[in-house]
Amino acid sequence: MSNHKEELENFMAPFREKFGHEKEFLQAVEEVAETVLPYIAKHPKYKEAKILERLAMPERAIIFRIPWVDDKGNFQINTGYRVQMNSAIGPYKGGMRFHPTVNLSVMKFLAFEQTLKNSLTSLPMGGGKGGADFDPRGKSDNEIMRFCQSLMTELFRHIGPDTDVPAGDIGVGAREVGFMYGQYKRLANEFTGVFTGKGINWGGSLIRPEATGFGAVYFTQEILKNVGDSIKGKTVAVSGFGNVAWGVAKKIDELGGKVVAISGPDGFVYDEKGITGKKVDYLLEMRASGRDKVQDYADKFGAVFHAGKKPWGLKVDIAMPCATQNEVDVADAKELIKNKVPYLVEVANMPTTLEAYKLLKAAGVVFAPGKAVNAGGVATSGLEMSQNSQRLSWSAKVVDEHLHDIMIEIHRSCVQYGYDKKEGKVDYVKGANIAGFVKVADAMIDQGHV
Ligand code: GLU
């Protein structure tokens, strides 16, 4: 075994022993440890203070019962979570996910990624994540409201505008944030910026709905600029068709590129002419319908529908997975390599398996990790917090300019820590992991053994 491999195995061994069943969490930690351990070896202060070991241990994890009654009068129970990972650089910050796959491993992986992501934004936000194994699909508005209120009846005592500020994620949009915020306000008897992603007339920020997608495209623009290229004329395959995919399609269209594919649980759609103009906003309509079928797009606009397939077999310039974790596996990576797709830009959180990532890297595909690419979402949440503290609302132009500057700065940090002189190119995974790590690590050292 090489020195590097041995060091990684030694680091991972206690985590594997203790948390062997938490596979998503172990995957996220391993991906970070692989690039950060060699850096730590050159900076022993981080090793002595066991910073990476501490970073991978939540400061606190809350697991709670969510009892609620459905429309038929049946008693239902879900499990709620809030993982408060790290508060070295600011209050815990991160979304709430409602999805049947939510468990402690998924929550810990997301909270760990969030800590490094939030650090990259350069805003003062620690890392956290929460959610429940609740499936909002097929539920009535009243059921969603009763569920959100029951969840908040417990969660409210653990959060606060200077303690922990949740937001949306998969399955949690404006409606769910509204119901949770309403119940928080009632219990705490205060109107504060305790949530982000709020409605625009009660403390929300303009551009927040678009921010993750726009930010991802701004980051892609920087990757291309760095090699003297641009988005103009590029074809893009996107997975998912929700809020994030919509923001990506909107901005790519604006910058002269062409999103030719979107996907859903039923398969993917190939639109050779591109998802442009009015077709972009149809994505929102499709999401709001709750049908969860991208075939609707193909039927409406005469595009080709591929049932049960993912869009990674297409010959495109840029692949942008926007759906969920581990959606790009080894078979998909082989397809992307076969089709000579030059860029894989992760927009979802950890959408690529570790094995698939290794194949893509070895094949020379430029790979940008989610924690850098999708940081525009939480960065704009940070801007929403600033507006709430000021009791002001900024114009869309001001928010968008801040977002754009933040994404340029994240790209610059990735280049600073990830540029490989010998190879003459940027390792974005290494750059994002080390840049995110250093800021949190230094703050932890300054604050002592806490
Ligand atoms: N859920 C989003 C993320 O993964 C946004 C979190 C936030 O705005 O707090 O970063």
Side-chain angles (χ1 to χ4, degrees):
M1 236 191 310
S2 73
N3 251 356
H4 176 50
K5 230 174 158 182
E6 200 177 317
E7 200 185 1
L8 179 65
E9 276 318 308
N10 287 341
F11 176 83
M12 290 303 297
F15 285 97
R16 292 199 213 286
E17 185 158 336
K18 237 171 151 171
F19 307 114
H21 53 291
E22 294 181 356
K23 64 181 192 348
E24 294 86 358
F25 171 62
L26 291 174
Q27 179 185 342
V29 174
E30 185 174 342
E31 188 226 80
V32 169
E34 183 155 31
T35 47
V36 171
L37 285 176
Y39 182 82
I40 291 178
K42 290 192 206 127
H43 300 82
K45 63 176 177 178
Y46 300 130
K47 197 182 170 105
E48 282 151 24
K50 289 208 163 76
I51 296 292
L52 193 55
E53 289 85 341
R54 279 157 64 192
L55 252 173
M57 174 70 79
E59 289 178 11
R60 190 179 298 108
I62 302 139
I63 303 181
F64 53 100
R65 180 171 66 200
I66 311 175
W68 59 284
V69 177
D70 67 22
D71 286 347
K72 294 197 182 93
N74 297 321
F75 204 82
Q76 302 283 351
I77 304 168
N78 285 96
T79 309
Y81 301 87
R82 188 72 188 166
V83 174
Q84 299 181 330
M85 200 74 186
N86 194 294
S87 62
I89 61 171
Y92 309 109
K93 179 83 196 87
M96 295 288 287
R97 176 176 291 191
F98 292 171
H99 196 269
T101 55
V102 164
N103 57 35
L104 188 57
S105 169
V106 169
M107 292 287 101
K108 280 173 68 182
F109 119 63
L110 288 165
F112 179 72
E113 290 282 294
Q114 196 82 42
T115 301
L116 299 174
K117 180 197 314 196
N118 293 4
S119 162
L120 283 171
T121 66
S122 68
L123 300 175
M125 299 182 289
K129 199 86 185 192
D133 59 350
F134 170 77
D135 191 353
R137 274 180 305 187
K139 305 285 190 302
S140 71
D141 280 359
N142 272 330
E143 288 176 323
I144 303 265
M145 183 174 72
R146 283 198 296 277
F147 174 79
C148 288
Q149 290 180 338
S150 179
L151 179 151
M152 192 48 71
T153 302
E154 174 56 37
L155 190 63
F156 98 98
R157 68 189 92 246
H158 307 290
I159 61 175
D162 296 313
T163 308
D164 185 353
V165 182
D169 195 81
I170 293 171
V172 177
R175 174 181 59 170
E176 291 75 16
V177 169
F179 292 151
M180 286 190 274
Y181 186 80
Q183 182 74 348
Y184 176 88
K185 186 165 64 62
R186 188 178 181 200
L187 292 165
N189 192 26
E190 57 179 33
F191 193 107
T192 58
V194 69
F195 252 88
T196 61
K198 299 188 289 301
I200 203 67
N201 51 355
W202 44 278
S205 174
L206 289 165
I207 304 295
R208 180 64 191 88
E210 295 91 335
T212 308
F214 279 20
V217 177
Y218 292 147
F219 193 88
T220 310
Q221 220 178 357
E222 292 308 301
I223 299 176
L224 292 166
K225 223 190 261 171
N226 201 40
V227 292
D229 205 345
S230 80
I231 284 181
K232 209 169 167 54
K234 295 277 182 298
T235 52
V236 183
V238 157
S239 61
F241 68 99
N243 191 48
V244 176
W246 163 71
V248 166
K250 203 167 159 167
K251 193 47 90 178
I252 291 276
D253 186 29
E254 223 177 281
L255 296 175
K258 199 158 80 169
V259 172
V260 293
I262 47 163
S263 73
D266 54 335
F268 83 89
V269 167
Y270 178 65
D271 184 348
E272 199 187 356
K273 295 197 197 91
I275 301 172
T276 58
K278 280 209 176 96
K279 291 195 254 178
V280 176
D281 284 327
Y282 183 69
L283 302 189
L284 291 183
E285 253 179 70
M286 228 166 32
R287 174 58 70 198
S289 78
R291 280 171 46 79
D292 239 5
K293 289 200 167 24
V294 279
Q295 188 175 1
D296 291 355
Y297 179 102
D299 294 345
K300 189 168 167 78
F301 299 113
V304 189
F305 175 64
H306 297 266
K309 292 236 161 64
K310 301 191 235 177
W312 313 129
L314 295 170
K315 273 191 205 302
V316 289
D317 299 311
I318 311 170
M320 296 180 84
C322 298
T324 194
Q325 67 265 12
N326 293 331
E327 55 169 307
V328 179
D329 59 19
V330 166
D332 301 320
K334 286 184 179 157
E335 283 289 302
L336 291 161
I337 294 165
K338 192 180 85 198
N339 286 325
K340 298 194 167 49
V341 175
Y343 297 97
L344 188 134
V345 178
E346 289 191 327
V347 190
N349 289 312
M350 204 172 75
T352 315
T353 67
L354 209 48
E355 295 72 26
Y357 158 63
K358 284 181 184 157
L359 280 183
L360 293 164
K361 189 178 178 201
V365 174
V366 176
F367 184 97
K371 66 170 76 67
V373 176
N374 73 29
V378 73
T380 307
S381 280
L383 301 176
E384 183 172 329
M385 289 165 74
S386 304
Q387 293 169 75
N388 293 161
S389 300
Q390 287 185 315
R391 300 193 190 279
L392 285 175
S393 288
W394 305 342
S395 69
K397 185 167 174 279
V398 167
V399 179
D400 195 27
E401 276 169 8
H402 274 301
L403 167 64
H404 200 162
D405 288 346
I406 288 169
M407 297 316 295
I408 291 173
E409 183 54 26
I410 296 175
H411 182 268
R412 196 202 54 74
S413 303
C414 290
V415 174
Q416 180 186 342
Y417 288 102
Y419 183 70
D420 187 324
K421 265 195 208 135
K422 247 194 268 155
E423 300 227 348
K425 56 183 185 189
V426 184
D427 179 338
Y428 283 98
V429 171
K430 179 178 166 194
N433 286 342
I434 299 176
F437 170 80
V438 167
K439 185 175 168 193
V440 182
D442 287 344
M444 286 170 77
I445 289 179
D446 289 347
Q447 293 170 21
H449 287 183
V450 291

